[in-house]
Amino acid sequence: MSDFVLAHLRALEAESLHILRETAAQFRKPVLLYSIGKDSSVLVHLARKAFYPGKIPLPLLHIDTTYEYPEMIEFRDRFTAEIGAELLVHTNDRAIEQGANPYTLGTSKCCSLLRTRALVEGLEAGGYDAALGGARRDEEKSRAKERVFSFRDRDGRWDPRNQRPEIWNVYNGKVDPGESIRVFPLSNWTEMDVWRYIELESIPIVPLYFAKPRQVLVRGNTIIPLESNVKTLPGEEPRTVMCRMRTLGCTPCSGAIRSEADTIGKIIDELAAMRRSERENRVIDHDQEGSMELKKREGYF
Amino acid sequence: MATGASLTLDHFLAPEGEKPLLRISTAGSVDDGKSTLIGRLLLDSKQVWEDHLDEIGRSKVNRASRGVDLSLLTDGLRAEREQGITIDVAYRYFSTPRRKFIVADTPGHEQYTRNMATGASTAELAIILIDARKGFLAQSHRHAFIAWLLGVRRLVFAINKMDLVDFSEEVYEGIRKQASALLVHLDGAQADFVPVSALDGDNVVELSARTPWYQGASLLDLIETLQPPAYAPQFRFPVQLVIRPHLDFRGYAGQVASGRVKVGDEVVALPSGRTTRVKRIVTFDGDLDEAFAPLSVTLELENELDIARGDVIALAAAAPKLARRIVANVVWMNEHALAAGATWLLQQGPRTVPARVTKIVHRWDVEKLEALPAAALQLNDIGQVEIETAEPLVFDSYRENRSTGGFILIDPITNLTMAAGLIERAARLEQRRKSRIEFESAAITAAERTALYGHTSARVALAGRGEIAPLAERALIEQGAHVFLRDRDDVAVDALTGAGLIVLDTRPGGEGGIDAQGLSADPDEAVLELIERLRRAGVFLDHDAVQPGEGI
């Protein structure tokens, strides 16, 4: 009997659909953490497939730091309305009122308040027992050992000693009240897989990913697109550079890269040639050695 | 969005003859250079991002005797980086133009058996690292055994540090011979032996000039081209979710665990045993005529059956087994030891049932491959147990089907996963059911025989399919039936059925009984189908058997 074999993106897709369905079935109140980035966009697309012909049975939660690019917010609102998804937005209002920002606090502390804290509070406020995210294992060393179903204690914290062995594709999602699971359906996808899938499925993504001439501030190796909430330093002059974002973060802290890639195809070619890690331009990862791991122990994704 | 137009399988298929995604598990001790080997594969296939290399150069810890310490690429958490030991299953990704690889990298220490089992559970190939200076040690033996136990049938032994034994062919051959002594016991395993130097790169990606006597492929070449075993042939579809957006549609969403299904196929839902036909195979991109493993689809059936999450849909002609008592091998994964009598939750795919371990049959001495008596199983022990469940399990033996033969045990109080279980078979009752025959001189009736034997008599007309008779006889006897294979005319069928036997009649002619028309050409499938026919005809009385239309 001849044996049908799936193309590798279809095999990854099938696995992710299985994980999404398990999440919807096992948990009382799951939520999808939507960061508007390319991984989130793939995740939402997969969610549409998983529950078809029904609608996505869980809300999309965006943790808004208020420092996001306006293009991202606009895309978020338009796209979620188009697909009929339920969008929830949460901000750490208290920290914002107290003037939290990366310039005075430093990126480590600012992220801690506006991302980590906001995330933990947003999840608690909603009483969610499972949160789906687009994180992948190839993104960073500390994520290589992450499970698909990652247990978080009552304080939203991750302890490497506290995780459950994950055998076959059998996921143990049992939690007690207050505890939760982070679910990562894209665990086995690489950055290249994500882009190829976006191309294969024509998934809409934020225009920031595509190259175009932009007003930027050049600081050493880092190019920061000029937005209303980016402060220029004394003596700094904005320049016009053909660039795009390889990964999205907050405006003051995310660097763009010089690029001519203005289509998905060109982005993929560029990626294949490129050797710089996705996170090099997200300044926060270089604060301390093993910084991502510290943030995870604190509860950041 | 789909409008009901049909989608073809081309939408999902890989190019002819290719298998573009391969899952690998790697095992080996810290000192064997496994991390260095993986680091070399990542580096030479250009998957390492340059700034990760920079960071390692900057890092305080650098243990290599020369060059960049490649093992630091794979060591993750901070504590480990300083100790130089990996403590968990780490997943690495790299691809070549031909294939994408998912590597489950596990530690080599004996106390990480649970990690190895976890990594091997989804693998199609295992790379087992051996230090050429040390030879085929007990730990290599353990790694190979665990991979094989968890269902990996392609084993690649990477004999590393060949640079330290002068690339000696004699050393290589010696290790091959030692390994072969184990491999003889690992049913169905296919082994390759590659002499490498992870540190210098010999035979990892490129063939080395320093091993002219080696006739095989480089490690990367080997893993890029080999074809691992396919999914099991029987159609199995564990239902994850019922999708009911409105009254006119009820679909069962799940991932095809094995086999294939077509629109129009007659299927059975277990454990209820109700049958119907497949009406539609629905996906977001359109309807399919056919689905196969591991596609995730939604099935719409012709009849509205009461199917819920956890039920298994299979082809009516080749259904899985049902039992409330099973024998299974388990890998114990928790510090809290297992003792008989303990109760757990048994999770098999989307299905969870309460379960009790009624007996610890034995513990495996993995190194000597011996079964030893045991009163308890400790963390990292592998043993065989009998388990009783509150509801019948729908299963295949793990050896036949990795998807439907595996389960995990969960502690209902701590919610922790305690063990991985691999189903061997249904447990046979140790004692015969209590006889209702009283000691008096009245003749024994057919009903009494039936009650005692657990089945009615039956004649199975196997003329024309004689070749499956011995297999059917064995299968039936193993289920506890009393069977006779009639291959001579001078034994009367009446006399045999009168004695309460199931007669497998390979002689032509004769009337009545169970037909063998239309059974599968494949002997194993034919026997499964035959037993199902007997079951559906009401021959078996075992309370674990399924009668169509009855719930349990």
Side-chain angles (χ1 to χ4, degrees):
Chain A
M1 168 164 75
S2 82
D3 183 37
F4 288 138
V5 178
L6 286 184
H8 99 266
L9 287 178
R10 295 300 180 201
L12 290 176
E13 180 188 54
E15 180 183 73
S16 300
L17 295 187
H18 173 268
I19 295 165
L20 281 157
R21 288 164 172 175
E22 273 306 289
T23 308
Q26 287 197 28
F27 297 97
R28 194 185 31 85
K29 202 173 179 197
V31 69
L32 192 152
L33 289 168
Y34 181 56
S35 70
I36 318 172
K38 67 181 192 309
D39 302 296
S40 271
S41 298
V42 166
L43 190 59
V44 173
H45 186 79
L46 290 167
R48 295 177 75 196
K49 290 200 177 198
F51 305 106
Y52 176 84
K55 285 199 168 294
I56 301 176
L58 40 123
L60 274 49
L61 174 63
H62 176 225
I63 303 295
D64 192 343
T65 62
T66 73
Y67 286 94
E68 257 88 0
Y69 287 88
E71 275 181 64
M72 287 170 66
I73 305 301
E74 186 204 64
F75 177 87
R76 172 196 79 185
D77 294 339
R78 191 171 19 98
F79 178 69
T80 53
E82 244 166 54
I83 65 169
E86 182 191 351
L87 173 70
L88 302 173
V89 180
H90 183 89
T91 300
N92 187 347
D93 293 317
R94 206 160 13 115
I96 299 289
E97 274 160 35
Q98 292 173 350
N101 72 81
Y103 304 100
T104 49
L105 297 182
T107 53
S108 186
K109 193 157 179 194
C110 184
C111 247
S112 174
L113 288 171
L114 298 186
R115 281 190 189 274
T116 311
R117 186 104 307 246
L119 177 63
V120 172
E121 283 175 1
L123 290 177
E124 226 170 74
Y128 301 111
D129 54 352
L132 289 152
R136 311 180 322 258
R137 285 194 272 237
D138 77 323
E139 280 179 326
E140 214 263 357
K141 277 180 283 284
S142 80
R143 282 182 177 169
K145 297 173 200 244
E146 189 60 287
R147 265 71 169 182
V148 171
F149 269 41
S150 173
F151 179 82
R152 300 300 158 103
D153 66 18
R154 272 185 182 73
D155 301 311
R157 277 194 279 255
W158 173 80
D159 184 346
R161 282 169 288 255
N162 206 1
Q163 301 300 316
R164 300 153 189 192
E166 208 157 64
I167 311 126
W168 302 295
N169 63 352
V170 180
Y171 302 112
N172 173 3
K174 297 213 161 345
V175 290
D176 289 338
E179 297 172 342
S180 65
I181 303 262
R182 300 290 166 85
V183 182
F184 305 115
L186 302 183
S187 289
N188 283 329
W189 295 55
T190 61
E191 184 177 12
M192 186 60 96
D193 290 331
V194 169
W195 281 112
R196 288 205 198 277
Y197 189 73
I198 287 171
E199 181 183 45
L200 181 67
E201 295 278 307
S202 305
I203 298 175
I205 54 172
V206 180
L208 282 166
Y209 282 112
F210 298 102
K212 78 172 203 214
R214 290 188 165 90
Q215 285 277 287
V216 301
L217 300 171
V218 180
R219 292 174 183 166
N221 277 335
T222 313
I223 300 169
I224 297 186
L226 194 60
E227 292 291 332
S228 51
N229 49 14
V230 175
K231 290 201 182 133
T232 52
L233 301 172
E236 231 182 354
E237 282 296 321
R239 284 186 245 171
T240 303
V241 172
M242 182 82 174
C243 64
R244 65 182 196 85
M245 301 298 290
R246 210 182 124 191
T247 172
L248 302 182
C250 292
T251 54
C253 307
S254 306
I257 51 169
R258 289 173 198 275
S259 168
E260 305 281 317
D262 55 359
T263 63
I264 306 269
K266 288 186 197 169
I267 290 174
I268 288 175
D269 289 339
E270 192 179 82
L271 193 63
M274 206 183 253
R275 302 191 60 143
R276 287 278 166 205
S277 148
E278 172 164 35
R279 288 188 167 272
E280 185 197 84
N281 283 305
R282 292 197 63 182
V283 176
I284 55 174
D285 271 12
H286 287 264
D287 293 338
Q288 297 176 48
E289 204 180 297
S291 57
M292 201 64 209
E293 183 203 328
L294 284 180
K295 289 192 175 62
K296 277 184 72 172
R297 285 179 194 261
E298 273 179 48
Y300 175 56
F301 225 93
Chain B
M1 286 264 283
T3 55
S6 251
L7 194 65
T8 66
L9 284 180
D10 290 340
H11 185 82
F12 296 97
L13 290 177
E16 182 74 46
E18 292 192 18
K19 189 181 184 331
L21 179 67
L22 189 72
R23 296 173 202 254
I24 300 181
S25 78
T26 56
S29 282
V30 157
D31 306 317
D32 294 336
K34 178 201 62 185
S35 296
T36 307
L37 179 65
I38 296 175
R40 169 69 63 188
L41 279 171
L42 292 177
L43 183 68
D44 287 357
S45 66
K46 308 202 185 328
Q47 285 303 299
V48 177
W49 303 113
E50 239 169 41
D51 69 309
H52 280 185
L53 275 179
D54 286 348
E55 224 176 84
I56 285 163
R58 263 207 314 264
S59 175
K60 291 190 277 277
V61 184
N62 196 323
R63 284 167 288 113
S65 45
R66 47 188 184 280
V68 172
D69 187 352
L70 293 169
S71 65
L72 285 173
L73 281 175
T74 51
D75 291 350
L77 301 175
R78 264 186 358 161
E80 305 169 306
R81 276 213 241 187
E82 271 128 43
Q83 280 180 317
I85 302 173
T86 48
I87 51 174
D88 213 329
V89 182
Y91 292 90
R92 316 282 172 208
Y93 306 88
F94 71 98
S95 37
T96 64
R98 299 184 66 162
R99 213 167 240 187
K100 175 186 155 107
F101 298 92
I102 299 176
V103 182
D105 180 18
T106 60
H109 301 248
E110 181 174 7
Q111 62 259 42
Y112 299 108
T113 292
R114 63 182 166 178
N115 309 72
M116 281 199 55
T118 301
S121 71
T122 54
E124 298 160 286
L125 161 74
I127 297 178
I128 296 156
L129 213 71
I130 294 172
D131 183 331
R133 295 168 304 174
K134 298 185 192 163
F136 191 77
L137 300 174
Q139 74 195 19
S140 326
H141 173 114
R142 184 173 53 245
H143 298 153
F145 176 75
I146 291 169
W148 174 84
L149 183 71
L150 268 293
V152 183
R153 290 290 173 267
R154 290 301 301 256
L155 307 175
V156 174
F157 294 90
I159 299 168
N160 196 25
K161 306 200 183 179
M162 290 296 293
D163 52 310
L164 298 178
V165 297
D166 284 323
F167 295 94
S168 153
E169 180 176 8
E170 225 183 293
V171 170
Y172 169 84
E173 283 300 332
I175 292 172
R176 257 178 88 118
K177 240 175 115 190
Q178 285 180 296
S180 302
L182 163 66
L183 292 169
V184 145
H185 298 284
L186 306 185
D187 232 15
Q190 251 185 287
D192 288 280
F193 295 84
V194 188
V196 299
S197 163
L199 207 53
D200 293 339
D202 298 75
N203 289 329
V204 177
V205 175
E206 304 290 337
L207 281 175
S208 168
R210 303 200 272 186
T211 53
W213 44 265
Y214 174 63
Q215 298 302 310
S218 72
L219 183 63
L220 186 62
D221 210 36
L222 184 60
I223 65 180
E224 250 191 327
T225 55
L226 64 77
Q227 297 291 20
Y231 285 93
Q234 312 93 355
F235 172 61
R236 301 285 183 255
F237 188 82
V239 175
Q240 288 182 272
L241 210 54
V242 181
I243 294 181
R244 197 114 211 258
H246 51 76
L247 289 174
D248 298 329
F249 181 91
R250 180 190 289 211
Y252 302 103
Q255 187 173 29
V256 181
S258 61
R260 284 149 70 160
V261 70
K262 292 192 301 296
V263 169
D265 277 350
E266 195 185 349
V267 294
V268 61
L270 295 161
S272 70
R274 296 193 183 89
T275 60
T276 179
R277 288 191 185 274
V278 175
K279 182 171 160 198
R280 279 173 74 198
I281 299 173
V282 176
T283 76
F284 180 86
D285 304 299
D287 281 11
L288 287 169
D289 283 326
E290 182 173 12
F292 58 94
L295 274 174
S296 282
V297 296
T298 298
L299 298 181
E300 204 189 356
L301 305 175
E302 273 180 23
N303 303 101
E304 283 240 335
L305 300 182
D306 193 15
I307 295 175
R309 169 177 167 82
D311 288 352
V312 176
I313 297 175
L315 288 186
K321 305 184 186 40
L322 266 84
R324 228 175 298 202
R325 275 175 306 278
I326 55 163
V327 175
N329 290 312
V330 295
V331 179
W332 201 252
M333 298 192 170
N334 193 276
E335 287 80 9
H336 181 111
L338 169 72
T343 54
W344 312 103
L345 290 171
L346 187 152
Q347 183 176 348
Q348 201 198 4
R351 188 139 182 265
T352 303
V353 299
R356 201 163 61 92
V357 172
T358 52
K359 185 172 158 191
I360 296 176
V361 179
H362 54 243
R363 182 178 68 82
W364 291 107
D365 178 330
V366 167
E367 278 155 34
K368 300 202 191 91
L369 288 190
E370 252 171 35
L372 301 171
L377 291 181
Q378 311 290 339
L379 171 62
N380 291 314
D381 276 349
I382 300 178
Q384 193 170 91
V385 300
E386 277 185 19
I387 292 176
E388 195 175 66
T389 54
E391 292 154 40
L393 289 177
V394 178
F395 68 95
D396 298 290
S397 73
Y398 189 75
R399 240 168 268 236
E400 272 169 20
N401 195 321
R402 281 173 100 182
S403 311
T404 51
F407 62 86
I408 60 172
L409 292 178
I410 298 171
D411 182 331
I413 296 170
T414 63
N415 295 328
L416 294 178
T417 298
M418 306 299 278
L422 315 162
I423 302 177
E424 278 269 310
R425 60 177 192 277
R428 249 162 303 144
L429 293 174
E430 268 175 19
Q431 299 159 298
R432 301 270 42 175
R433 275 181 221 89
K434 198 165 153 56
S435 163
R436 286 200 285 116
I437 298 174
E438 284 161 352
F439 291 94
E440 53 181 66
S441 52
I444 292 171
T445 65
E448 284 173 308
R449 280 187 208 274
T450 297
L452 188 65
Y453 293 165
H455 61 79
T456 63
S457 64
R459 173 180 171 269
V460 181
L462 277 183
R465 289 307 301 274
E467 85 285 358
I468 66 165
L471 196 59
E473 186 183 26
R474 176 164 290 283
L476 284 164
I477 282 185
E478 282 180 359
Q479 292 214 0
H482 293 59
V483 194
F484 188 86
L485 203 169
R486 178 178 182 253
D487 55 5
R488 293 153 48 189
D489 280 331
D490 63 354
V491 183
V493 175
D494 305 342
L496 297 169
T497 52
L501 303 176
I502 294 176
V503 184
L504 299 175
D505 191 354
T506 60
R507 299 301 299 153
E511 277 178 8
I514 309 288
D515 208 37
Q517 293 290 340
L519 287 179
S520 170
D522 175 68
D524 290 310
E525 280 202 27
V527 170
L528 284 174
E529 288 169 19
L530 186 62
I531 292 180
E532 184 54 33
R533 282 187 193 182
L534 284 164
R535 188 174 285 141
R536 308 260 299 282
V539 171
F540 300 123
L541 296 194
D542 187 334
H543 69 87
D544 285 330
V546 163
Q547 302 295 324
E550 274 178 36
I552 293 189

